[in-house]
Amino acid sequence: MHPIILLFVISLLHAYEARGSDTVTPVFVQKGKDLLLNVTAPVKLVERSEFKWRFNDSNIIRLFDDNDTNTIGPYHGRVEIFLQNHSLLLKNVQQDDSGRYTAAVFGNEINYVGKYSVTVQDPVSPVNGTVDLLSNSSDSCNLTVTCSTQDSHHINSTFRCDTNTCSQEEGGERSKVTTSGTSLRVYLSKGFSVICSHSNQVSSDEHTTMIRDFCFSNPAPEPPGAFIAFVSVTVIKVLVIIAITAAFVGHRIKGKHESVDTENTVYENAQVKVKIVNTTSGSESNR
C-alpha cells in the first residue's frame, strides 16, 4: 500500500476513535465499596457491532448485538452489566482497580459513551485534638490546639478568647495535605468550638474541642451589692429561726411549771383531807 494511502487510513482510524465525548470524569470510591459507572449517551448495537467496558487497555466485559455477554476472566463474579442502560457495577473495589475506564460501541467506528478516571482510596484514620493552655483567667484565655492523626501527621493553631468570643490567631499550620493525599484542618466553629478535621474524597473524621472546658475556670467575683443582700437575707433567716426556737422552748418550760404546780396543789389537798380524817377519828375514840 502506498505510504500516503496508509497514513490516510491511520488518520481516519484516529478520527473514528475520537468520536464521542472527550470529557474524562474523575470518580473517587472507598476501598471495599461497589462502583457504579454509567454511560453518557444511548447505546445502539447494530449487526456486527459490540459494546465494551474497558479498564485501561484491557476488556472487562463485551456485549454483542444479540445481547450475549462475555466477561473477561479476572472479572468473573466481580462485575455486572445492566442491559437496560448498559451501566457497569464493579464490586468490592481495591487499590489495583484505580485507573481509566471507558465504555464504547465498536463497529465500523468507535463511539465512546463514557470515560472515567477512577481513584480508590482508603478511609481516613481517626483524628484527635489536644490542648496546651497558655494562659487562663476569669475573663480571658489563650490556648493552642494540636490536631494529630494515627499516621503521625499533625498541625496546630492558637486561639485567643474572652467571655464573649474567640478568634484564631495568625501563625501555626491551619491545614495541610498529607503524603497520602488526605486533608488535615483545624478551625474555629460556633464561637467556642475548635474542630480538627481529617478527610479525603471518600471519608472524613472530626474531633471537637470545647474551649469552655479549659477556659474561664475561675468564676468572676460577685458585686458588693449582691454580697450585702446575701448576708442580710442570711442574718434575717437566722434571727427568725432563733425567735421560733426561743418561743418553742419557753412554751415547753411554762408547761412543765404549770404541771408541777398542779401536782403540788393536789398533794396539799390530799394532806388536808388526811388531817381532817385523822381528827375526826380521834374525836370519836375519846368518846
Side-chain angles (χ1 to χ4, degrees):
M1 182 180 292
H2 194 280
I4 297 178
I5 298 176
L6 180 60
L7 289 175
F8 178 72
V9 171
I10 292 174
S11 64
L12 285 178
L13 289 175
H14 282 296
Y16 287 144
E17 289 185 354
R19 290 197 58 180
S21 173
D22 290 331
T23 302
V24 178
T25 304
V27 176
F28 296 88
V29 60
Q30 183 173 317
K31 180 181 177 181
K33 301 291 186 179
D34 295 344
L35 172 65
L36 179 65
L37 299 175
N38 297 313
V39 297
T40 57
V43 173
K44 295 181 180 180
L45 293 179
V46 296
E47 188 177 357
R48 302 183 66 180
S49 67
E50 63 178 295
F51 172 75
K52 296 180 184 180
W53 273 104
R54 293 169 59 86
F55 172 61
N56 293 335
D57 295 324
S58 302
N59 291 332
I60 299 174
I61 193 167
R62 301 170 65 188
L63 174 67
F64 301 99
D65 58 357
D66 60 356
N67 281 340
D68 188 23
T69 60
N70 177 24
T71 302
I72 308 305
Y75 294 98
H76 276 292
R78 288 196 61 210
V79 297
E80 201 175 323
I81 189 170
F82 300 98
L83 296 179
Q84 64 271 28
N85 56 14
H86 301 89
S87 298
L88 178 75
L89 179 67
L90 180 60
K91 303 174 182 178
N92 188 27
V93 296
Q94 302 298 312
Q95 296 288 359
D96 290 343
D97 293 317
S98 296
R100 189 169 184 265
Y101 288 77
T102 56
V105 176
F106 291 80
N108 293 330
E109 58 187 39
I110 302 174
N111 184 23
Y112 286 98
V113 292
K115 295 180 181 181
Y116 296 92
S117 175
V118 173
T119 303
V120 180
Q121 292 183 327
D122 289 315
V124 296
S125 62
V127 63
N128 187 46
T130 57
V131 174
D132 182 15
L133 194 59
L134 304 178
S135 65
N136 183 28
S137 68
S138 60
D139 57 1
S140 66
C141 178
N142 292 331
L143 71 164
T144 296
V145 177
T146 300
C147 303
S148 56
T149 66
Q150 290 184 347
D151 43 3
S152 301
H153 297 290
H154 65 272
I155 56 175
N156 63 74
S157 188
T158 299
F159 300 85
R160 183 183 301 274
C161 305
D162 56 33
T163 54
N164 295 318
T165 186
C166 286
S167 61
Q168 190 168 3
E169 298 293 288
E170 296 295 332
E173 191 174 15
R174 298 188 181 193
S175 64
K176 69 182 294 185
V177 177
T178 68
T179 53
S180 59
T182 64
S183 174
L184 186 59
R185 294 194 303 142
V186 56
Y187 60 93
L188 188 65
S189 173
K190 298 179 181 178
F192 287 90
S193 300
V194 177
I195 307 297
C196 293
S197 173
H198 188 206
S199 64
N200 58 14
Q201 285 83 356
V202 299
S203 65
S204 64
D205 186 71
E206 288 186 351
H207 181 275
T208 301
T209 298
M210 303 301 297
I211 292 177
R212 290 191 183 276
D213 290 343
F214 299 90
C215 292
F216 318 121
S217 56
N218 299 321
E222 294 184 355
F227 177 77
I228 293 172
F230 172 78
V231 171
S232 300
V233 172
T234 303
V235 170
I236 292 173
K237 289 181 179 179
V238 172
L239 291 176
V240 170
I241 292 172
I242 292 174
I244 293 173
T245 304
F248 177 77
V249 172
H251 178 72
R252 292 291 300 272
I253 293 174
K254 182 179 179 181
K256 287 183 178 181
H257 287 169
E258 290 177 352
S259 176
V260 171
D261 290 342
T262 303
E263 290 175 0
N264 289 339
T265 302
V266 173
Y267 178 74
E268 289 174 359
N269 290 338
Q271 284 184 334
V272 171
K273 289 180 181 180
V274 170
K275 287 181 181 181
I276 293 173
V277 171
N278 288 339
T279 303
T280 305
S281 300
S283 300
E284 290 177 352
S285 63
N286 289 332
R287 291 177 184 175

